[in-house]
Amino acid sequence: MPSTFYRTFYPVTVTTTAAATAVIRFPVSSPSHIYHSRRRRRRISTPAPASLKVSVRNICSSGMGYTHGNCKEDHHREKTPPPPPLRPLSKSAKLLTLPTILTIGRVSAIPILVSTFYVDSWWGPNATTGIFIAAAITDWLDGYLARKMNLGTAFGAFLDPVADKLMVAATLILLCTRPLAASVFGQLPWLLTVPSIAIIGREITMSAVREWAASQGGKLSEAVAVNNLGKWKTATQMTALTILLLTRDSSLSGSGTFVSSGVILLYVSAWLAVWSLVVYMRKISKVLLM
């Protein structure tokens, strides 16, 4: 409870002696004077009247015997609790988000793709094509979910391009082991080998370049960012591989035309892959020469 300190003064009689010495005598006839004379050298703390109540903060700040820095209660009252920590709005800290699970599923489907490719039955080519189409859809879906739902993680950003490259490289190698006969091009054993080497070589080179650019940081990382040319390369590549896997079904009518269109699209995607590599190298050279 806030208190006001009072100093009690009492009536005194002053007698001057011959030696000019002032003697202060307190009247002792009243018992209350005796009681107060014993306590006159210390302050008496009594509750302040309602009209005189002031806050401790005002007393400390007004300089009534205390300084602002020495008043403990003043500091105690001025302290405010720290604000609660804000949640970061950055990417999700969870490791296994839905997009990452889809990416891991795409990697896990590669052994199943290889197994169904060599099945000599009617359902083998259909199963292989279905697995590849599902992988292509999840490739788009995991990126869409990561952006839409803010579920991107560093692990997912690393694993997504790795899964794409593994799936494409495995499919190209499988097609090279069992080349299809295109009526338009005739029997050419190197027909699928050349674009496959170009695509796989480009992916290996770009992976190394992106890793080096990421270690350097700055404008080099911006120079190797994915552009529209790379997206067109991926779209034509996935379409060509889907057609080439689908035409392995002997019951499909007009397979020769489908094979020819698949081969043409594969060469187009190989050209886009090499050209996009050239574009990236040009951007890197401009940054290095600045």
Side-chain angles (χ1 to χ4, degrees), residues 11-257:
V12 297
T13 58
V14 180
T15 305
T16 305
T17 61
T21 303
V23 179
I24 301 175
R25 297 178 179 177
F26 289 87
V28 295
S29 58
S30 175
S32 61
H33 288 178
I34 297 173
Y35 170 76
H36 288 293
S37 64
R38 293 176 181 175
R39 303 183 61 185
R40 69 184 185 85
R41 292 188 178 182
R42 65 177 180 177
R43 295 177 179 177
I44 302 174
S45 176
T46 58
S51 59
L52 296 178
K53 286 183 179 180
V54 292
S55 65
V56 177
R57 178 183 175 88
N58 294 336
I59 293 175
C60 296
S61 302
S62 59
M64 297 176 62
Y66 300 95
T67 61
H68 184 74
N70 294 333
C71 185
K72 294 183 179 180
E73 291 193 25
D74 196 1
H75 282 278
H76 178 71
R77 289 173 180 269
E78 288 182 355
K79 275 188 178 180
T80 56
L86 299 177
R87 283 188 175 183
L89 300 177
S90 57
K91 295 183 178 180
S92 175
K94 293 176 62 178
L95 181 63
L96 293 179
T97 58
L98 181 58
T100 307
I101 293 174
L102 293 176
T103 305
I104 295 175
R106 192 158 67 251
V107 176
S108 304
I110 295 176
I112 306 175
L113 178 77
V114 176
S115 302
T116 57
F117 184 83
Y118 292 104
V119 173
D120 294 327
S121 178
W122 62 269
W123 60 270
N126 296 329
T128 305
T129 307
I131 293 172
F132 186 82
I133 292 175
I137 293 175
T138 56
D139 181 25
W140 168 82
L141 184 61
D142 58 4
Y144 174 78
L145 292 177
R147 293 186 300 269
K148 192 73 173 178
M149 304 174 63
N150 194 23
L151 293 176
T153 60
F155 178 67
F158 156 76
L159 189 61
D160 182 66
V162 173
D164 299 340
K165 292 173 175 57
L166 289 176
M167 181 63 71
V168 170
T171 306
L172 288 172
I173 293 172
L174 291 175
L175 290 173
C176 289
T177 58
R178 287 189 176 183
L180 297 172
S183 57
V184 178
F185 303 102
Q187 294 293 335
L188 299 175
W190 50 266
L191 190 62
L192 299 180
T193 306
V194 173
S196 299
I197 293 175
I199 292 173
I200 295 175
R202 184 263 183 193
E203 299 298 340
I204 294 175
T205 306
M206 278 307 303
S207 298
V209 169
R210 282 199 172 101
E211 184 177 357
W212 170 74
S215 64
Q216 299 298 318
K219 294 183 178 180
L220 283 176
S221 299
E222 298 177 1
V224 296
V226 179
N227 53 22
N228 291 330
L229 191 60
K231 294 179 181 179
W232 279 105
K233 181 266 303 179
T234 303
T236 55
Q237 189 173 271
M238 294 297 182
T239 305
L241 294 179
T242 302
I243 293 173
L244 293 176
L245 289 175
L246 186 62
T247 52
R248 293 179 61 251
D249 188 2
S250 58
S251 62
L252 184 65
S253 59
S255 58
T257 306

